[in-house]
Amino acid sequence: MASIMERADENLLPSVYKEVSEAFNAGPTDLGYLTFIRNFVQALSSPLAGVLVLHYDRPTVLAMGTLCWALSTAAVGASHQFSQVAFWRAVNGFGLAIVIPALQSFIADSYLDGVRGTGFGMLSLVGSVGGIGGGVLATIMAGQEFWGMPGWRCAFVMMALLSSLIGFLVFMFVVDPRKTHKIIPHESIESSERDNLVEKGNAGSGLPSVWLESWRAMKAVMKVQTFQIIVLQGIVGSVPWTAMVFFTMWFELIGFDHNKSAALLSLFAIGCAMGSLLGGLVGDRMSRIYPHSGRIMGAQFSAFMGIPCSWFLLKVIPQSVDSWNTFAVTLFFMGLTISWCATCANNPMFAEVVPAKHRTMIYAFDRAFEGSFSSFAAPIVGILSENIYGYDPKSANLASGSKKEAFALSRGLLSMMAVPFGLCCLFYTPLHLTFQRDRENARLATSKEQEMT
């Protein structure tokens, strides 16, 4: 449920870009900066999740982050100046920074190596339900009024209330898998003994030991070559996904109404949800056949598919309301094939190349590096559309559509999607040489720690 609300919250603002643009007289570049601010703050704050999880239960950390983003979401809905929206989007990024790495390490600890891809696929599939629901709900509510309040503002307030409820439920009922390893009793005994020793060793040692332990964990994660390579591909691989926040605005500029735009985005989201699960299943299957390179090959295929799909969607299909069916089929197929990387390779491989206690830290640093660079994609799309391809915010007719501005925005999107997808595919290649060694080093370190305990 926390994953559902997290994805719904992420999709909320892009779904009402048109209404926010009208309310605050903002163009694509300004809207891109809103996404940039949230993603950049989220990236910079992500390592904090790794520090918090070393010393607090993950359900407590998840609840803290959920309440933080709920507060900021409500505040965005109540804002009357663009600067206020920007500030609260930054706070929203801080909350998401705490939640996402904790969720990922939670799943990594709950599944064994051979089925971990399926676990991450299920998390992504379930979370996508929230993404679809949040996007569709906001897009449909945006064109109406409720109790004299614009529909897009009501959507933000409603999402904040639901998020607060989920945060409370997480805090009250979720149990950290580190506390209950019922499947493997022997590991449970070792884990509890080790936890007791750590608690006794840290008792009375105060704040300096907290930061010392965090610093050691950070250094251990940063030295892993597989981590470095996945982060490198992730920096460019996240760029197209950040640029896609303009899809809703692009469809409405073509001339589609709220409902048809929401339907198109829903089909894409459904494709991504099913693709995430499919990618996890493919990754698990490939890892049994090719233990050291199966997951990597699956991710490279998925990244490569982003090139023809982006080209066909943004350049080949006529940008007309008569092309709705073609857009729908293309978006679904695109979502089904380009969404494998995280569940097929990245997340399962991260869990295998560091000891279990460092898992949250590795996911946190992945978000920090990838998010900080990819956050520039949204404003760059706006800048390219306005300064190079001729998008004019003043002449754009957001009510009935504007073919010229839709064309300009599509060219800006294509620039920030096709090339990064190609580079992402290329940057996966060195993993064929490093993954096996790093995984064996992590297993050796874990076995040594257990022997010492």
Side-chain angles (χ1 to χ4, degrees):
M1 292 173 76
S3 180
I4 287 173
M5 296 310 300
E6 175 255 312
R7 292 287 285 275
D9 188 83
E10 281 188 349
N11 286 358
L12 202 54
L13 184 65
S15 301
V16 295
Y17 264 173
K18 191 177 87 167
E19 286 69 30
V20 173
S21 176
E22 292 170 344
F24 298 102
N25 193 26
T29 304
D30 296 320
L31 297 173
Y33 279 126
L34 288 181
T35 300
F36 163 74
I37 289 167
R38 192 206 67 182
N39 288 357
F40 195 68
V41 171
Q42 179 182 341
L44 293 180
S45 307
S46 288
L48 181 61
V51 175
L52 290 172
V53 168
L54 285 174
H55 309 287
Y56 298 98
D57 281 349
R58 275 174 290 194
T60 304
V61 176
L62 287 170
M64 289 164 50
T66 305
L67 291 174
C68 182
W69 96 53
L71 169 67
S72 60
T73 300
V76 168
S79 296
H80 292 285
Q81 294 180 10
F82 189 80
S83 58
Q84 294 173 340
V85 177
F87 172 78
W88 287 112
R89 289 300 284 171
V91 176
N92 186 265
F94 180 79
L96 291 173
I98 297 173
V99 169
I100 295 174
L103 264 177
Q104 290 174 322
S105 67
F106 199 99
I107 295 299
D109 284 355
S110 302
Y111 289 84
L112 299 174
D113 289 352
V115 293
R116 197 169 277 128
T118 306
F120 280 109
M122 285 300 299
L123 177 72
S124 183
L125 177 65
V126 170
S128 296
V129 173
I132 295 165
V136 171
L137 185 69
T139 305
I140 293 173
M141 290 179 67
Q144 306 176 36
E145 281 198 0
F146 301 90
W147 306 289
M149 186 188 300
W152 72 270
R153 293 185 184 275
C154 289
F156 273 81
V157 173
M158 186 171 70
M159 196 66 66
L161 292 173
L162 286 171
S163 297
S164 300
L165 174 62
I166 299 303
F168 174 76
L169 293 175
V170 167
F171 181 75
M172 293 299 295
F173 298 111
V174 174
V175 178
D176 197 317
R178 288 183 301 196
K179 287 187 172 182
T180 54
H181 294 279
K182 293 180 180 178
I183 300 175
I184 311 172
H186 181 63
E187 284 191 8
S188 174
I189 294 168
E190 288 184 343
S191 177
S192 62
E193 287 176 351
R194 185 160 59 250
D195 290 343
N196 289 335
L197 286 172
V198 170
E199 286 173 12
K200 289 174 184 176
N202 286 342
S205 56
L207 192 60
S209 68
V210 170
W211 292 107
L212 184 62
E213 185 181 346
S214 302
W215 175 246
R216 286 172 181 163
M218 290 178 194
K219 287 200 298 182
V221 165
M222 298 285 282
K223 288 178 181 177
V224 179
Q225 282 191 324
T226 296
F227 167 75
Q228 296 168 359
I229 295 166
I230 292 179
V231 165
L232 177 63
Q233 69 75 31
I235 287 172
V236 292
S238 299
V239 168
W241 296 94
T242 309
M244 289 176 199
V245 297
F246 282 105
F247 272 2
T248 302
M249 188 176 187
W250 177 52
F251 289 132
E252 290 176 350
L253 284 169
I254 289 172
F256 295 116
D257 60 22
H258 283 295
N259 292 341
K260 287 188 176 179
S261 298
L264 286 173
L265 268 295
S266 298
L267 284 169
F268 179 62
I270 291 168
C272 289
M274 294 173 64
S276 295
L277 180 58
L278 177 63
L281 292 167
V282 168
D284 288 345
R285 178 72 175 173
M286 291 284 283
S287 70
R288 295 188 194 108
I289 303 171
Y290 306 104
H292 310 308
S293 59
R295 293 191 184 278
I296 305 161
M297 289 189 288
Q300 286 184 298
F301 168 79
S302 182
F304 174 79
M305 288 301 296
I307 302 172
C309 287
S310 302
W311 176 76
F312 188 79
L313 175 74
L314 296 163
K315 196 166 184 179
V316 176
I317 302 175
Q319 296 187 23
S320 162
V321 291
D322 298 328
S323 303
W324 191 92
N325 290 334
T326 312
F327 277 123
V329 174
T330 304
L331 284 167
F332 178 78
F333 178 76
M334 183 176 175
L336 194 66
T337 54
I338 69 171
S339 54
W340 296 11
C341 293
T343 56
C344 178
N346 299 8
N347 291 338
M349 288 168 69
F350 278 150
E352 294 185 50
V353 296
V354 294
K357 65 179 181 179
H358 291 162
R359 281 175 181 162
T360 303
M361 191 67 78
I362 199 170
Y363 291 118
F365 269 93
D366 174 54
R367 295 311 316 146
F369 286 109
E370 288 189 21
S372 58
F373 285 92
S374 67
S375 58
F376 288 95
I380 290 174
V381 170
I383 291 168
L384 288 173
S385 301
E386 291 185 35
N387 298 337
I388 296 179
Y389 299 110
Y391 184 100
D392 185 2
K394 295 179 181 177
S395 65
N397 187 341
L398 292 170
S400 59
S402 176
K403 297 293 173 63
K404 176 176 173 288
E405 274 60 46
F407 178 83
L409 187 58
S410 71
R411 291 303 177 266
L413 280 166
L414 184 61
S415 302
M416 298 305 293
M417 288 176 64
V419 175
F421 272 129
L423 291 173
C424 175
C425 179
L426 181 66
F427 289 166
Y428 267 114
T429 306
L431 289 175
H432 291 287
L433 304 174
T434 64
F435 176 56
Q436 180 182 2
R437 183 184 67 246
D438 289 337
R439 180 170 58 180
E440 289 173 355
N441 288 342
R443 288 175 176 171
L444 184 62
T446 301
S447 62
K448 283 184 178 179
E449 184 182 341
Q450 290 176 349
E451 286 172 9
M452 289 173 66
T453 303

